[in-house]
Amino acid sequence: MLTQQKIIHALKDVEDPELHKSVVELNMVRDVHIEGTHVSLTIVLTIQGCPLKAKIKQDVETAIQALGATAVTLQFGSMTDEERKQLTASLKKENTTSEGMPTMLREDSGVTFIAVTSGKGGVGKSTVTINLAAALARQGKRVGIVDADIYGYSIPTMMKITEKPTMIDQMAVPVTKEGVKVMSMGFFSKDNQPVMWRGPMLNKWIRNFLVNTHWGDLDYLLLDLPPGTGDVAIDVAAMIPQAKEIIVTTPHNAASHVASRAGVMARHTKHEILGVVENMAFYETSDGERNYLFGKDGGSALAGALATEVIAQIPFAQPEENTGSSVYDEDSVVGEAFTHLAEDIIHIN
Ligand SMILES: Nc1ncnc2c1ncn2[C@@H]1O[C@H](COP(=O)(O)OP(=O)(O)OP(=O)(O)O)[C@@H](O)[C@H]1O
Ligand SMILES: [Mg+2]
């Protein structure tokens, strides 16, 4: 026989497709009525016009039919402002420790932070960030990107993200692309105007992105940093001392990186360096011959100076034509290089 209890129990397995939490836990199930084998109920949505309504409807119906119901009448409602506030307060509480620290930063959070840095601009940090993230996701890892280049954010454009994060009260649900959860200041700027925050606001911004974002469980959080040793790099170092660093260079820019890198190291020696990624390292012709356009030793010289290793050499190549995305195809030479890098990183972390 169908009972309220059985129905609620079955709905515990139905997740809100955005928050990835049970609709029961999120307090979205209301007015369950049973008449014989006919069940009617209301699901209150976190936001109005939730685009994933159809998915919820199907999952709820399937779960209740599996109990033997012959008809399910489902109505949708939406949470009141008060209910939404309560929900985000509880999500935010989960994201914050009793000391007020982002939960993610706890040693036992299971999240590996990887900051992608460089001494100079334009060497391919963002390219490395998004392609490494996509490669980690292809390996089944749960991956997020924080576009920490807050003045010169480029991740949304480079990944061809046109959506904005869903906002539930003050809580942002990151946009998922290539299997990766993405947050960027670019989502919040008006008409792509640059962001003009300085000093203390910056630190708050990083915190906000850790605490007021519903990341769910992550294995890796990649941070795409602006070039050099500015405020953001210093704040990230202070806020996330456990982050590991990947330093991106091109062969011809390596020398200039040593000096600027030394500056950061003098101030913050905490970040462990995973290694150097030498980007645009060579050009491979169609018959597999490698041309080293900018010399051969830049990456290894930088790695030597920093007492680390070159962990990847990424060839010079265009991403797939016509897509406009800077994420390289899995089967391309560059895509494969990132797959190897992802495998190595998974192996050591
Ligand atoms: N391996 C590559 N082959 C060809 N083009 C590349 C490669 N890597 C990066 N690029 C191109 O070089 C330009 C700079 O790359 P990217 O934006 O990733 O660098 P960045 O270090 O993040 O720059 P910024 O310092 O401005 O943030 C982009 O147009 C990108 O598409
Ligand atoms: Mg960049």
Side-chain angles (χ1 to χ4, degrees):
M1 206 186 72
L2 284 168
T3 62
Q4 292 252 354
Q5 213 179 3
K6 278 189 196 163
I7 289 168
I8 296 294
H9 188 76
L11 292 178
K12 281 187 179 155
D13 293 333
V14 174
E15 285 189 345
D16 175 271
E18 274 197 309
L19 295 173
H20 298 288
K21 278 180 172 290
S22 149
V23 292
V24 175
E25 193 187 336
L26 293 169
N27 196 21
M28 292 165 67
V29 183
R30 309 287 160 85
D31 307 328
V32 179
H33 292 293
I34 306 162
E35 269 185 59
T37 58
H38 184 174
V39 177
S40 66
L41 75 162
T42 300
I43 295 283
V44 292
L45 300 170
T46 50
I47 50 157
Q48 248 150 15
C50 171
L52 300 162
K53 233 170 158 172
K55 166 96 176 106
I56 300 181
K57 183 169 161 48
Q58 197 187 11
D59 291 351
V60 167
E61 285 173 355
T62 308
I64 298 177
Q65 279 158 0
L67 297 173
T70 54
V72 180
T73 309
L74 174 57
Q75 281 201 320
F76 283 107
S78 65
M79 288 188 177
T80 62
D81 287 348
E82 192 48 42
E83 287 170 332
R84 237 187 312 272
K85 273 211 175 72
Q86 272 176 21
L87 169 66
T88 53
S90 80
L91 294 174
K92 192 170 168 176
K93 206 170 157 201
E94 272 177 38
N95 288 350
T96 321
T97 66
S98 50
E99 294 87 38
M101 186 175 85
T103 314
M104 233 190 213
L105 296 180
R106 277 170 51 156
E107 230 169 275
D108 60 356
S109 72
V111 186
T112 299
F113 293 87
I114 299 179
V116 180
T117 69
S118 73
K120 268 190 77 137
V123 294
K125 287 174 302 299
S126 304
T127 303
V128 169
T129 305
I130 61 180
N131 284 284
L132 175 58
L136 287 164
R138 290 198 296 267
Q139 309 271 327
K141 297 297 174 188
R142 297 163 299 181
V143 188
I145 292 178
V146 167
D147 183 356
D149 193 344
I150 69 170
Y151 309 120
Y153 48 80
S154 59
I155 301 280
T157 311
M158 290 177 77
M159 294 186 87
K160 281 207 81 179
I161 297 175
T162 48
E163 309 92 307
K164 301 267 181 215
T166 300
M167 296 300 299
I168 304 169
D169 198 35
Q170 297 292 313
M171 177 73 67
V173 182
V175 177
T176 301
K177 191 82 192 243
E178 309 284 344
V180 176
K181 293 178 179 176
V182 180
M183 280 301 277
S184 169
M185 209 60 213
F187 294 144
F188 301 100
S189 75
K190 286 213 171 68
D191 310 321
N192 279 334
Q193 293 293 311
V195 180
M196 296 304 288
W197 286 353
R198 298 276 172 215
M201 279 304 281
L202 273 180
N203 191 309
K204 207 170 160 195
W205 172 85
I206 298 168
R207 227 192 108 79
N208 260 338
F209 267 22
L210 297 182
V211 170
N212 292 335
T213 302
H214 182 69
W215 292 103
D217 292 331
L218 288 183
D219 299 309
Y220 294 93
L221 188 66
L222 273 55
L223 300 123
D224 180 25
L225 297 194
T229 56
D231 294 350
V232 176
I234 289 164
D235 275 336
V236 168
M239 184 87 185
I240 317 176
Q242 69 269 51
K244 300 176 181 183
E245 262 181 48
I246 286 179
I247 299 155
V248 182
T249 186
T250 52
H252 53 306
N253 276 322
S256 62
H257 289 198
V258 176
S260 87
R261 178 66 210 164
V264 185
M265 293 301 282
R267 273 182 281 186
H268 303 281
T269 51
K270 282 184 192 154
H271 280 180
E272 177 192 329
I273 300 177
L274 277 176
V276 169
V277 169
E278 191 183 45
N279 188 30
M280 309 189 213
F282 54 87
Y283 177 80
E284 199 171 274
T285 60
S286 52
D287 45 12
E289 194 194 325
R290 291 182 173 190
N291 291 313
Y292 293 86
L293 306 169
F294 305 118
K296 237 181 160 173
D297 303 317
S300 56
L302 177 61
L306 301 174
T308 183
E309 283 168 31
V310 175
I311 50 172
Q313 286 183 299
I314 310 296
F316 190 94
Q318 287 305 313
E320 276 52 58
E321 280 172 53
N322 299 328
T323 66
S325 164
S326 299
V327 180
Y328 290 78
D329 201 73
E330 182 176 359
D331 304 324
S332 65
V333 192
V334 173
E336 280 173 11
F338 280 108
T339 299
H340 288 144
L341 178 59
E343 284 167 353
D344 289 347
I345 286 176
I346 291 168
H347 190 68
I348 51 174
N349 289 288

